[in-house]
Amino acid sequence: MSQQSITPELRQWVAEQIRLGHLPEAVIEAMVQAGWKEDLATSALDGALQTRRARAPNSAALAAGPASGAGERMPGLDLTQSPRRIDAGDRWVDVIATLGLPRVVLLGGLLSAEECDALVEAARPRLARSLTVETRTGGEELNPDRTSHGMFFNRGEGELVTRIEQRIARLLRWPLENGEGIQVLQYRPGAEYKPHYDYFDPVEPGTPTILKRGGQRVATLLMYLNEPTRGGGTIFPDVGLEVAPVRGNAVFFSYDRPHPATRTLHGGAPVIEGEKWVATKWLREREFV
């Protein structure tokens, strides 16, 4: 294979592997073992993913296998014309960077400094040790992997929360009622959230109970409310990405199926100095009740 090229047959084979839900790393490894050069294998995979996204009605749809039940439509920004800024209704939001797989978009200026401060002050009196969803039972539990303190606002709780939720719904083109309430978290020095997935594991016995409230989670929007002096970045280990916490900025990522193939493993790195405040908005397939 001294003269290798990406043939239509190769593209078709790669597209079929993606459709079947094989991990991108596994597809590349299989090609390399068959004698293809790694850079060519990577290019073939990227091309197949781009083609799949272009054919989807929403450019933010992931390309790693069949949808999770939300159909082909997924929450996401309209990035078809590679805009630098997007109109979110009452505010223009900057598009700083995008990543194809996982589908990650870094946003600038989603929240004003005043909105960040107001969320922190409204949340502070209601903070408690953060819990995680217990997928074995459908309830909640303390988890040593998550050492933050937090609280939830009810959806539509007050003018500030309502304004931000409406902005998010327009920006991500997803029904407001399909969003969970905004969660605000405080990470003190040493606090972290070890890498995890936000979707609910389908094999766990408690997941059917959780899904009754609105189906699977399909996307996450993480908003930074302040800036720790050191540490506290949002990490995506599968792709070696770390997003610095900058006040008012946000990182959006989506996952069209509850499977590691989405490469949405992520975590909150330990805060080394200072403290970190973030607000999280999870989006569901259907109306969250």
Side-chain angles (χ1 to χ4, degrees):
M1 291 190 179
S2 57
Q3 298 296 324
Q4 294 184 345
S5 62
I6 301 176
T7 64
E9 292 77 15
L10 178 61
R11 291 193 184 96
Q12 183 177 356
W13 181 85
V14 172
E16 179 65 13
Q17 305 314 301
I18 296 171
R19 188 189 68 79
L20 293 173
H22 294 297
L23 290 172
E25 295 90 339
V27 176
I28 293 175
E29 181 179 358
M31 292 178 65
V32 171
Q33 290 180 351
W36 295 94
K37 296 178 181 178
E38 185 172 356
D39 58 347
L40 186 140
T42 302
S43 295
L45 178 66
D46 289 343
L49 295 175
Q50 291 172 9
T51 298
R52 185 179 174 95
R53 281 194 294 272
R55 290 174 178 172
N58 186 317
S59 63
L62 284 174
S68 63
E72 292 189 350
R73 183 168 175 261
M74 287 284 292
L77 300 89
D78 183 2
L79 302 176
T80 53
Q81 300 298 316
S82 298
R84 191 182 72 81
R85 308 180 76 205
I86 294 180
D87 183 4
D90 63 340
R91 188 176 182 85
W92 285 85
V93 177
D94 295 329
V95 178
I96 298 175
T98 64
L99 190 63
L101 184 66
R103 188 48 161 169
V104 177
V105 183
L106 178 58
L107 303 168
L110 176 63
L111 302 177
S112 69
E114 293 76 17
E115 288 171 333
C116 292
D117 293 344
L119 281 174
V120 169
E121 292 311 309
R124 192 185 297 274
R126 296 161 57 178
L127 293 177
R129 173 68 188 273
S130 297
L131 302 176
T132 58
V133 173
E134 173 49 79
T135 52
R136 288 172 296 179
T137 64
E140 295 180 314
E141 66 173 354
L142 283 173
N143 188 329
D145 290 344
R146 190 182 200 185
T147 52
S148 61
H149 289 72
M151 54 77 65
F152 275 94
F153 290 106
N154 293 320
R155 195 171 60 227
E157 182 179 334
E159 186 277 332
L160 172 65
V161 170
T162 299
R163 183 196 331 143
I164 294 172
E165 288 177 331
Q166 290 174 343
R167 185 182 305 157
I168 292 170
R170 173 161 176 163
L171 181 69
L172 301 181
R173 301 179 297 169
W174 203 244
L176 189 150
E177 61 269 19
N178 289 21
E180 298 182 26
I182 292 175
Q183 182 187 44
V184 174
L185 296 171
Q186 178 198 37
Y187 291 84
R188 296 167 180 165
E192 65 178 320
Y193 195 177
K194 293 181 179 178
H196 61 282
Y197 297 99
D198 281 352
Y199 56 73
F200 305 114
D201 190 340
V203 305
E204 292 290 348
T207 294
T209 299
I210 298 169
L211 299 187
K212 290 179 181 179
R213 299 193 65 187
Q216 268 288 0
R217 287 174 175 168
V218 290
T220 301
L221 181 70
L222 182 63
M223 299 166 276
Y224 302 105
L225 306 182
N226 82 320
E227 299 175 14
T229 305
R230 290 191 296 155
T234 303
I235 57 173
F236 293 83
D238 286 347
V239 290
L241 175 66
E242 179 171 353
V243 178
V246 176
R247 183 166 72 158
N249 286 7
V251 60
F252 166 80
F253 55 99
S254 58
Y255 28 96
D256 69 344
R257 58 193 306 220
H259 193 278
T262 59
R263 306 183 81 183
T264 53
L265 184 71
H266 66 286
V271 175
I272 299 173
E273 183 179 353
E275 63 178 10
K276 179 178 75 171
W277 289 82
V278 296
T280 304
K281 184 74 170 178
W282 287 293
L283 304 181
R284 297 283 191 109
E285 295 174 297
R286 303 184 296 274
E287 180 177 1
F288 178 74
V289 295

